[in-house]
Amino acid sequence: MSKLPQYSDILDAASVLKGKAVHTPLISNAILNDRVGGQVFLKPECLQRTGSFKFRGAYNALSNVGAAGKERGIVACSSGNHAQGVAEAARLLGYDATIIMPHDAPELKKQRTARSGAKIIEYDRYNQDREELTEQHAEETGAILVHPYENFHVVAGQGTVGLEACQDLKAQGLQADHFLVCAGGGGLMAGITLAAKEVFPDIMVHPVEPEGHDDQRRSHEANQRLGDNAKTPSLCDAILTPMPGEMSFAICQGSLGEGLVVSDAQALEAVAFAYNELKLVVEPGGAVTLAALLSGKLDVKGKTVLATLSGGNIDAPVMAQALGI
Amino acid sequence: MSKLPQYSDILDAASVLKGKAVHTPLISNAILNDRVGGQVFLKPECLQRTGSFKFRGAYNALSNVGAAGKERGIVACSSGNHAQGVAEAARLLGYDATIIMPHDAPELKKQRTARSGAKIIEYDRYNQDREELTEQHAEETGAILVHPYENFHVVAGQGTVGLEACQDLKAQGLQADHFLVCAGGGGLMAGITLAAKEVFPDIMVHPVEPEGHDDQRRSHEANQRLGDNAKTPSLCDAILTPMPGEMSFAICQGSLGEGLVVSDAQALEAVAFAYNELKLVVEPGGAVTLAALLSGKLDVKGKTVLATLSGGNIDAPVMAQALGI
């Protein structure tokens, strides 16, 4: 395995991202706090450039590629949020980008990736291996592969979510007991773990996943990387990955809190809560943390809790379903 | 006319609101900036407690009522956002509240007012005088009337929107050329004018209104308070008031920038832009500033611009109309 990022790499990423990524605020809400009996601070990365935290890792990684980026171009595989992040970072840096996307990725995510000027190649999520396809494309074209979570600078970039959240909370004179993180391959969770444990050594970081796709929970319980058995779809498209990343698993191994699991229905309830009460547009995969809090998956009474709302790129019919319209 | 609030009253209001109201962030968005050619910072009061800035003025006013609030109760008239602000402030302070609301106020606003425990009395917006009704109720019951904009502490409370926005911008080393404000009776605009002119003496504050309801623009051009001729409805229910408030007119007289006017269609486009690009839920009346920017009502090329997104309490069918779903 390649070298693992450290806390100092997150500080470096923060410098690279200054003025490029949005320093998203912490959001607190009286109704949410009353309901869970604790003090919750949400980190709404739906307000991030491209509508998800993925821009952070992508821009940091592409910036670190240097001159080779312009010469060779970039290739990435993604169901949509990493796709947009890479496409937009490439546009800003003047690189060509090709994105390998599942054919059933949300329409909105395909459109938003295309408008940043990236070329899109579709594949069948259930019958083709995306890693193989992407590596093959990189070999054939010479493009530089930017993996969504097996990448030093991507993980460091995502870590700035945790850095900002913890530093902003500390500036309010508070410290966090728990940090709930939407988890797919684990890049965000790994970056947040590195940052959060530095600022608040006793914090518990919890992966939150959709039912049937709880490979992070099972892997960290078993202390070995286990794959998803489920081939069932989920509305939480943003966080459906076949197994925890090697890099993120190594960073988080032995240091995570309990993994939490929510149903699609609970994720949709959280989408509706975010819309109605927080006035935020959040996609199901970005709302699983809020879903876990609202459905009482973790007792946070009297606790101070950070939670990511990791993205807001939701197709209109899914929002309509969540709102019952 | 009663005494007018000063800058120091806004600082007092900020102390009263600390820990009660949300210090909302400034939001910037690359797509918006590219489109208008300037640097725009949005103040999303949709993220405020009760979903609009109105909580600020209401909580400040009710706090300043003191013991009489518990003894006599509160009465207010409002199409919905002041209603929710007063109802929630009353709940927090342990006062009884009665709200006089138009029969055609958005359902959502009625529900959210009722859930804070307020009693609602409906009236006919087109055939009854709400001021008369409210004063009559106050006389009959002894309840303390909290007017949505003809109230010293309400205006001072709304001014904290401007105070936060300007101080936060200044902390980034920037200064604002323009401040676009959603304007109904003008309480928010007056409070913002007091705060903004103190922090940035050369700033231009612009009222933004819906077509047919541009009484602020016409009044400040004519240098006298003029009523709305239009009896036509507008989707911008939050900012439909019969004429500028006496207090807000006196505060802003002679010191405003050009008044801007947008159509309902432009307001809906802004609602859709906020949803799709900013991932914020904003109601039409709260999005008129963004509508003015998107439709080029003011040349802001090379300028630094603040703009309120004053509320997010939008009925589902109106959002569906904006999004074309």
Side-chain angles (χ1 to χ4, degrees), chain B residues 96-113:
Chain B
D96 287 330
T98 301
I99 316 285
I100 318 274
M101 295 185 81
H103 70 287
D104 61 347
E107 273 311 311
L108 183 78
K109 292 182 175 176
K110 288 188 205 168
Q111 286 163 19
R112 289 168 60 101
T113 302

Side-chain angles (χ1 to χ4, degrees), chain B residues 13-157:
Chain B
S15 299
V16 170
L17 292 174
K18 199 168 166 63
K20 300 295 177 186
V22 179
H23 184 126
T24 53
L26 290 181
I27 303 275
S28 68
N29 178 269
I31 292 170
L32 177 59
N33 287 345
D34 285 353
R35 190 151 153 188
V36 304
Q39 250 190 316
V40 180
F41 295 88
L42 300 165
K43 180 74 171 164
E45 283 292 302
C46 49
L47 304 180
Q48 187 52 260
R49 199 160 184 157
T50 73
S52 93
F53 73 94
K54 292 281 191 178
F55 175 77
R56 296 174 184 260
Y59 190 86
N60 191 45
L62 267 61
S63 294
N64 277 284
V65 156
K70 266 212 173 89
E71 287 156 24
R72 295 164 54 191
I74 302 291
V75 63
C77 62
S78 162
S79 71
N81 282 334
H82 179 60
Q84 290 169 73
V86 169
E88 183 63 8
R91 188 185 71 79
L92 291 171
L93 292 163
Y95 306 168
D96 287 330
T98 301
I99 316 285
I100 318 274
M101 295 185 81
H103 70 287
D104 61 347
E107 273 311 311
L108 183 78
K109 292 182 175 176
K110 288 188 205 168
Q111 286 163 19
R112 289 168 60 101
T113 302
R115 79 173 179 186
S116 288
K119 183 182 163 195
I120 296 174
I121 297 175
E122 297 193 4
Y123 76 98
D124 177 349
R125 190 202 292 259
Y126 303 105
N127 296 306
Q128 286 184 287
D129 182 330
R130 72 178 194 171
E131 308 285 336
E132 238 172 61
L133 275 175
T134 317
E135 280 164 25
Q136 196 183 332
H137 181 93
E139 266 173 41
E140 285 170 14
T141 64
I144 297 166
L145 196 162
V146 178
H147 194 278
Y149 44 89
E150 299 290 19
N151 179 302
F152 183 96
H153 293 294
V154 166
V155 170

Side-chain angles (χ1 to χ4, degrees), chain B residues 214-259:
Chain B
D214 57 344
D215 46 295
Q216 293 284 1
R217 184 188 65 76
R218 291 186 300 107
S219 298
H220 284 281
E221 273 185 13
N223 204 25
Q224 61 173 308
R225 290 166 67 226
L226 300 172
D228 251 347
N229 300 320
K231 294 281 180 195
T232 50
S234 160
L235 284 171
C236 303
D237 62 277
I239 49 175
L240 304 183
T241 38
M243 66 158 35
E246 208 178 342
M247 185 174 274
S248 67
F249 187 77
I251 291 170
C252 298
Q253 197 168 14
S255 69
L256 287 185
E258 181 193 351

Side-chain angles (χ1 to χ4, degrees), chain A residues 19-22 45 47-52 55 88 91-92, chain B residues 30:
Chain A
K20 300 295 176 185
V22 179
E45 284 292 304
L47 305 180
Q48 187 52 260
R49 201 161 182 155
T50 73
S52 93
F55 175 77
E88 183 62 8
R91 187 184 72 80
L92 291 170

